[in-house]
Amino acid sequence: MLEKLKEEVYRANLNLVEHGLVIFTFGNVSAYDRKSGLMVIKPSGVSYSEMHPEDMVVTDLNCKVIEGTLRPSMDAPTHAALYKSFPSVGGVVHTHSSFATAWAQAGKPIPCLGTTHADYFYGEIPVTRRLSESEIASDYEYNTGLAIAECFAETDPLKIPAVLVLSHGPFAWGEDAGKAVHNAVLLEEVARIASITIAIAPERTIETTLLDKHFLRKHGKGAYYGQKK
Amino acid sequence: MLEKLKEEVYRANLNLVEHGLVIFTFGNVSAYDRKSGLMVIKPSGVSYSEMHPEDMVVTDLNCKVIEGTLRPSMDAPTHAALYKSFPSVGGVVHTHSSFATAWAQAGKPIPCLGTTHADYFYGEIPVTRRLSESEIASDYEYNTGLAIAECFAETDPLKIPAVLVLSHGPFAWGEDAGKAVHNAVLLEEVARIASITIAIAPERTIETTLLDKHFLRKHGKGAYYGQKK
Amino acid sequence: MLEKLKEEVYRANLNLVEHGLVIFTFGNVSAYDRKSGLMVIKPSGVSYSEMHPEDMVVTDLNCKVIEGTLRPSMDAPTHAALYKSFPSVGGVVHTHSSFATAWAQAGKPIPCLGTTHADYFYGEIPVTRRLSESEIASDYEYNTGLAIAECFAETDPLKIPAVLVLSHGPFAWGEDAGKAVHNAVLLEEVARIASITIAIAPERTIETTLLDKHFLRKHGKGAYYGQKK
Amino acid sequence: MLEKLKEEVYRANLNLVEHGLVIFTFGNVSAYDRKSGLMVIKPSGVSYSEMHPEDMVVTDLNCKVIEGTLRPSMDAPTHAALYKSFPSVGGVVHTHSSFATAWAQAGKPIPCLGTTHADYFYGEIPVTRRLSESEIASDYEYNTGLAIAECFAETDPLKIPAVLVLSHGPFAWGEDAGKAVHNAVLLEEVARIASITIAIAPERTIETTLLDKHFLRKHGKGAYYGQKK
């Protein structure tokens, strides 16, 4: 079942390696088939070079395995919580990419310091709140997803398609698995340039007019970037 | 028309990828045919690996498409403004290369800290002024080009063939597209070494005698670098 | 003798190069055959590209060569001291990987700043004490091993499978040579992300509940990472 | 003439590219044939990929071309000054490798912060003094060589086989061209780790006993590193 989606998720996972976002078995990508209510996700702890499309695990949003002989990624409940909370999202990525992880460990949102950021993220990349001891003790991964969703209570998650989980690392998402990986790569690039920037001068965030101009020339009705479809 | 120039612009764009200055569809290179008054530029939002020489777009300096089925790069008006302002320039490059972008985001010119810089840029790399709200609201990209030109009112743009656009990123140029890319690579290298330098010790700019010596042994009448032509 | 182990040690040494942990003849990996009491280790000062499995040197834990025509790595006595002190360890790695070496040179343990660290190291990575002049003057390499062992007097070395030798660089270990290299790669990654983190904000170590959660979901009885065996 | 040495110098120059120490036409390697008093050096401004062994230029120590149709590297007089001053040196390298150049631009010697440094350089890597205006105005490159030699008035140049030229970049040397390149790579690595180190903690230089131990276990009479010859 969902063979085409498995292939997509498989390729999106391999893209993490090609873009240098993961080593060993770090990271995972999933996609959600909203029609059937089923999620396809990387199996847990399997190395990228030994993985095949048919190893992708199909689960429902309670993370019950519907098809597949392998265990799904440990982070599956976080992915599931995001699909429940974000109706427009069809793909989710988790990595420990170095610079985004460093900002998550520092507990600081990534400020919007320039147009590279503004082109893809409509404002600062938020950091989740600290989980309580009981939230860590039980359903830790699902609670992580809820804490992410809280950050987007008043924000369209497709306008800022990434978050930093405090003391942990980044999650990114998009309409599908491929776009989620695209956003994860952009997040890491933006995090890297932000790190270099604040070492040169104290934070100097972009002015609102310029943020609007850059995000809106690429997204929404008035966009004029790229080719007509 | 201008098939040879299209091939040059195409190759110069691919060089951005080879030199690690761009990811995805970031960046663009153009060249200007001063005789016909026409510019050849990368199409907007097309990925480097799927691009062909014949996809390069020919426009006039008002960015009206003269030949080509694709939209030109969104930044075409900035390129056009530079060709209008800088009569000696035949190629322009825009990237979001990490270190040069960080200096642009920090809002600081790159000081001339050593001979690597002095060999190619005859003094600090300037940062453009902040655009007004109305300059952002209409003709943003063209106004960006004018703000760049302002920085070179009293400087030969071939002696400092690059600039940092505030909160945005670098533009570089040269006599042709290939030289513009060469300068974009050098700018990123100089920006990178400058970042490492100021982390070791406070800025210690090069003395004028040494700046002159290094720039002038490579450029102008008394140059003795390279081979006789 | 021990041909299979030589092959393993040979491959583990080459992995150091593939993971970018060593240049030239830097670094060395060994494995210990607890049954025979013999150690297999890289020969001293031989370059990775010219090395063959049969060049691996077999010694006892006094570093007396039992088989092989080449001298063992100069650091063999440190490896031997670790095999004597850590009964659960079957492989040891030494590198001068950049970020771990920098922390060793700074004389600071790597604090546990996030879950990337907590997933593999159950707390901060310690730094050895300063050796006395006489410990440096005679049996320097063996004394280095004893100083490492001191750091683990009250810690299971498989729960924090790495250490920083003061003013020198990292050692890592594991149940076998392959796992030791795996841990050396993780150490470098963790050291790198920690360096980036403290440049963004002062140290903000992970809370104990989260450290426990992450280490224990991957290790020990209650672990649920990876596939069932 | 000197065909074998040309081949060596040619290969040593290509090694600069392989080790990532140079881009474009940056950098140059030479070797000195002490018997004939002739130097073989890279031609000026020729790119590494288009260079052939027979393009290497043969000059005397006044930099007069003895054989070859191309101009020698602009830095030839610096190389010549080093061969005159350092009787044990047979190869010289100049690069603008990023981290060593940053220390040169910062005007700070690279302190000996650990054993990676101590294994190859017997103490801090010095920075040359500032040249006078007249030293820059005439015979600049030769005066640069003399300023380097001044730093080694009381030091064996093979014990610290590298230097930082103030506001410029590194020179390294060795018994032959290959060893000089080896030292240039080590210098860059040491400079890089030093930069990372001082960002973690204030400088904490290695103690003399440990410096002696590490340098002397690899060099001189009592050395026990590597294989017997």
Side-chain angles (χ1 to χ4, degrees):
Chain A
M1 66 198 300
L2 298 173
E3 302 307 320
K4 191 158 158 280
L5 204 58
K6 280 184 199 162
E7 179 73 27
E8 263 179 60
V9 170
Y10 168 73
R11 295 214 169 281
N13 273 289
L14 292 194
N15 279 340
L16 295 184
V17 181
E18 284 157 26
H19 285 289
L21 298 190
V22 295
I23 56 168
F24 295 135
T25 60
F26 285 28
N28 41 70
V29 185
S30 71
Y32 184 51
D33 181 57
R34 207 158 281 279
K35 220 166 63 183
S36 64
L38 297 176
M39 175 167 87
V40 176
I41 192 165
K42 180 177 177 287
S44 180
V46 173
S47 86
Y48 290 94
S49 57
E50 292 166 8
M51 212 166 65
H52 302 283
E54 58 270 26
D55 296 331
M56 302 300 107
V57 186
V58 181
T59 76
D60 63 20
L61 287 196
N62 296 317
C63 299
K64 200 188 136 199
V65 175
I66 301 301
E67 192 192 64
T69 54
L70 297 169
R71 277 183 187 174
S73 165
M74 232 172 15
D75 298 311
T78 313
H79 293 241
L82 296 183
Y83 292 125
K84 285 186 199 166
S85 306
F86 300 159
S88 53
V89 166
V92 170
V93 176
H94 173 49
T95 77
H96 286 211
S97 66
S98 314
F99 285 88
T101 298
W103 283 87
Q105 292 191 161
K108 288 194 62 177
I110 304 177
C112 183
L113 300 176
T115 63
T116 317
H117 184 127
D119 282 341
Y120 301 99
F121 304 95
Y122 196 26
E124 72 175 24
I125 317 285
V127 186
T128 59
R129 65 166 171 80
R130 184 186 263 246
L131 294 187
S132 71
E133 302 235 333
S134 70
E135 285 173 316
I136 293 173
S138 78
D139 284 330
Y140 166 63
E141 290 84 4
Y142 189 70
N143 290 328
T144 298
L146 295 184
I148 293 173
E150 276 177 39
C151 294
F152 293 83
E154 315 211 342
T155 311
D156 176 350
L158 288 182
K159 289 200 171 158
I160 301 183
V163 76
L164 306 173
V165 176
L166 181 67
S167 302
H168 189 151
F171 278 80
W173 49 78
E175 289 92 337
D176 57 38
K179 282 176 184 161
V181 170
H182 189 258
N183 289 330
V185 174
L186 291 167
L187 171 65
E188 179 64 7
E189 185 70 9
V190 159
R192 183 163 168 267
I193 300 179
S195 283
I196 304 169
T197 303
I198 61 171
I200 298 170
E203 280 175 36
R204 177 194 179 104
T205 52
I206 199 174
E207 54 205 298
T208 312
T209 332
L210 195 55
L211 168 59
D212 285 354
K213 180 70 191 175
H214 268 263
F215 190 79
L216 301 174
R217 72 179 190 165
K218 287 209 166 181
H219 302 89
K221 270 193 188 163
Y224 51 99
Y225 177 77
Q227 304 301 325
K228 281 179 192 150
K229 300 191 179 150
Chain B
M1 65 198 303
L2 298 174
E3 302 307 319
K4 190 158 158 281
L5 203 59
K6 280 184 199 162
E7 180 74 28
E8 264 180 59
V9 169
Y10 168 72
R11 296 215 169 279
N13 273 288
L14 293 195
N15 279 340
L16 294 184
V17 181
E18 283 156 29
H19 285 289
L21 298 191
V22 295
I23 56 168
F24 296 135
T25 60
F26 284 28
N28 40 70
V29 185
S30 72
Y32 182 52
D33 181 57
R34 208 159 280 279
K35 219 167 64 184
S36 65
L38 297 177
M39 174 167 88
V40 176
I41 191 164
K42 180 178 178 284
S44 180
V46 173
S47 85
Y48 290 94
S49 58
E50 293 166 8
M51 211 165 66
H52 302 283
E54 59 270 26
D55 296 331
M56 301 301 106
V57 187
V58 181
T59 76
D60 62 20
L61 287 196
N62 296 316
C63 298
K64 199 188 137 201
V65 175
I66 302 301
E67 191 193 64
T69 54
L70 298 169
R71 278 183 187 173
S73 165
M74 231 172 16
D75 298 311
T78 313
H79 293 239
L82 296 182
Y83 292 125
K84 285 184 199 167
S85 307
F86 300 159
S88 53
V89 165
V92 170
V93 176
H94 173 48
T95 78
H96 287 212
S97 66
S98 312
F99 285 88
T101 298
W103 284 87
Q105 292 190 162
K108 288 194 62 178
I110 305 177
C112 184
L113 300 176
T115 65
T116 318
H117 184 126
D119 282 341
Y120 302 99
F121 303 96
Y122 197 26
E124 72 175 25
I125 317 284
V127 186
T128 58
R129 66 166 171 80
R130 184 187 264 247
L131 294 187
S132 71
E133 302 235 333
S134 72
E135 285 172 317
I136 293 174
S138 78
D139 284 330
Y140 166 64
E141 291 83 4
Y142 189 71
N143 290 327
T144 298
L146 295 184
I148 293 173
E150 276 176 40
C151 295
F152 292 83
E154 315 211 341
T155 310
D156 176 351
L158 288 183
K159 289 201 171 157
I160 301 184
V163 77
L164 307 173
V165 175
L166 181 68
S167 303
H168 188 150
F171 279 80
W173 48 79
E175 288 93 336
D176 57 38
K179 282 178 183 160
V181 171
H182 189 258
N183 288 331
V185 174
L186 291 166
L187 172 65
E188 179 63 7
E189 186 70 10
V190 159
R192 185 166 166 264
I193 301 180
S195 283
I196 305 169
T197 303
I198 61 171
I200 298 170
E203 279 175 36
R204 176 193 180 106
T205 51
I206 199 174
E207 54 205 298
T208 311
T209 333
L210 195 55
L211 168 59
D212 284 354
K213 179 71 191 175
H214 269 263
F215 190 79
L216 300 175
R217 72 180 189 166
K218 287 208 167 183
H219 302 89
K221 269 193 189 164
Y224 50 100
Y225 177 77
Q227 303 301 325
K228 281 179 192 149
K229 301 195 178 148
Chain C
M1 66 198 299
L2 298 173
E3 302 307 320
K4 190 156 158 282
L5 203 60
K6 280 184 201 163
E7 180 74 28
E8 263 179 61
V9 169
Y10 169 73
R11 296 216 169 280
N13 273 290
L14 293 194
N15 279 341
L16 294 184
V17 181
E18 284 157 27
H19 285 289
L21 298 190
V22 295
I23 56 168
F24 296 134
T25 60
F26 284 28
N28 41 70
V29 185
S30 71
Y32 183 51
D33 181 57
R34 209 159 280 279
K35 219 167 61 183
S36 64
L38 297 177
M39 174 167 87
V40 176
I41 191 164
K42 179 175 178 288
S44 180
V46 173
S47 86
Y48 290 95
S49 58
E50 293 167 8
M51 213 167 64
H52 303 283
E54 60 271 24
D55 296 331
M56 302 300 108
V57 186
V58 181
T59 75
D60 63 19
L61 287 196
N62 296 318
C63 298
K64 200 189 137 199
V65 175
I66 302 301
E67 191 191 65
T69 54
L70 298 169
R71 278 184 186 172
S73 164
M74 233 173 13
D75 298 311
T78 313
H79 293 242
L82 296 182
Y83 292 125
K84 285 186 198 167
S85 307
F86 301 160
S88 53
V89 165
V92 170
V93 176
H94 173 49
T95 78
H96 287 211
S97 67
S98 314
F99 285 87
T101 298
W103 284 87
Q105 292 190 162
K108 289 195 63 178
I110 304 177
C112 183
L113 300 176
T115 64
T116 317
H117 184 126
D119 282 341
Y120 301 99
F121 303 95
Y122 197 26
E124 71 174 25
I125 317 285
V127 185
T128 58
R129 65 166 171 80
R130 182 188 265 246
L131 295 187
S132 70
E133 302 236 334
S134 71
E135 285 172 317
I136 293 174
S138 77
D139 284 329
Y140 167 63
E141 291 83 3
Y142 189 69
N143 290 328
T144 297
L146 296 184
I148 294 173
E150 276 176 39
C151 294
F152 292 83
E154 317 212 342
T155 310
D156 177 351
L158 287 183
K159 290 201 170 155
I160 301 184
V163 75
L164 307 173
V165 175
L166 180 66
S167 303
H168 189 152
F171 278 79
W173 48 79
E175 288 93 336
D176 57 37
K179 282 176 184 161
V181 171
H182 189 258
N183 288 332
V185 175
L186 291 166
L187 172 65
E188 178 64 7
E189 186 71 9
V190 159
R192 184 165 166 263
I193 301 179
S195 283
I196 305 169
T197 304
I198 62 171
I200 299 170
E203 280 175 36
R204 177 193 179 104
T205 52
I206 199 174
E207 54 205 296
T208 312
T209 333
L210 195 55
L211 168 59
D212 284 354
K213 180 69 191 175
H214 269 263
F215 190 79
L216 300 175
R217 72 179 189 164
K218 287 210 166 183
H219 301 89
K221 270 194 189 164
Y224 51 99
Y225 177 76
Q227 303 301 325
K228 281 180 193 150
K229 299 189 179 154
Chain D
M1 66 196 301
L2 297 174
E3 301 308 319
K4 191 159 157 279
L5 203 59
K6 280 184 200 163
E7 180 73 29
E8 263 180 61
V9 169
Y10 168 72
R11 297 217 167 277
N13 273 289
L14 293 194
N15 279 340
L16 294 184
V17 181
E18 284 156 27
H19 285 289
L21 298 191
V22 295
I23 56 168
F24 296 135
T25 59
F26 284 29
N28 40 70
V29 185
S30 71
Y32 183 51
D33 181 57
R34 209 159 280 277
K35 218 167 62 184
S36 64
L38 297 177
M39 175 167 88
V40 176
I41 191 164
K42 179 176 179 286
S44 180
V46 173
S47 86
Y48 290 94
S49 58
E50 293 167 8
M51 213 166 64
H52 303 283
E54 59 270 26
D55 295 331
M56 302 301 106
V57 187
V58 181
T59 76
D60 62 20
L61 288 196
N62 296 316
C63 298
K64 199 189 139 199
V65 175
I66 303 301
E67 190 192 65
T69 54
L70 298 169
R71 277 183 187 174
S73 165
M74 232 173 16
D75 298 310
T78 313
H79 292 242
L82 296 182
Y83 292 125
K84 285 185 199 168
S85 306
F86 300 161
S88 53
V89 166
V92 169
V93 176
H94 172 48
T95 78
H96 287 211
S97 67
S98 312
F99 285 87
T101 298
W103 284 87
Q105 291 190 162
K108 288 195 63 178
I110 305 176
C112 183
L113 300 176
T115 64
T116 317
H117 184 126
D119 282 341
Y120 302 100
F121 303 96
Y122 196 27
E124 72 174 25
I125 317 285
V127 186
T128 58
R129 66 167 171 79
R130 182 188 264 246
L131 294 188
S132 71
E133 302 234 334
S134 72
E135 284 172 318
I136 294 174
S138 78
D139 284 329
Y140 167 62
E141 291 83 4
Y142 189 69
N143 290 327
T144 297
L146 295 184
I148 294 173
E150 275 177 40
C151 295
F152 292 84
E154 316 212 341
T155 310
D156 176 352
L158 287 183
K159 290 201 170 157
I160 302 184
V163 77
L164 307 172
V165 175
L166 181 67
S167 303
H168 189 152
F171 278 79
W173 49 78
E175 288 91 338
D176 56 38
K179 282 176 183 163
V181 171
H182 188 258
N183 289 331
V185 174
L186 291 166
L187 172 66
E188 179 64 7
E189 186 70 9
V190 159
R192 184 164 167 265
I193 301 180
S195 283
I196 305 169
T197 304
I198 61 170
I200 298 169
E203 279 176 36
R204 175 191 181 107
T205 52
I206 199 174
E207 54 204 297
T208 311
T209 333
L210 196 54
L211 168 59
D212 285 354
K213 180 69 190 176
H214 269 264
F215 190 79
L216 300 175
R217 71 180 190 166
K218 287 208 166 184
H219 302 89
K221 271 195 190 165
Y224 51 99
Y225 177 77
Q227 303 301 325
K228 281 180 192 150
K229 296 185 182 158

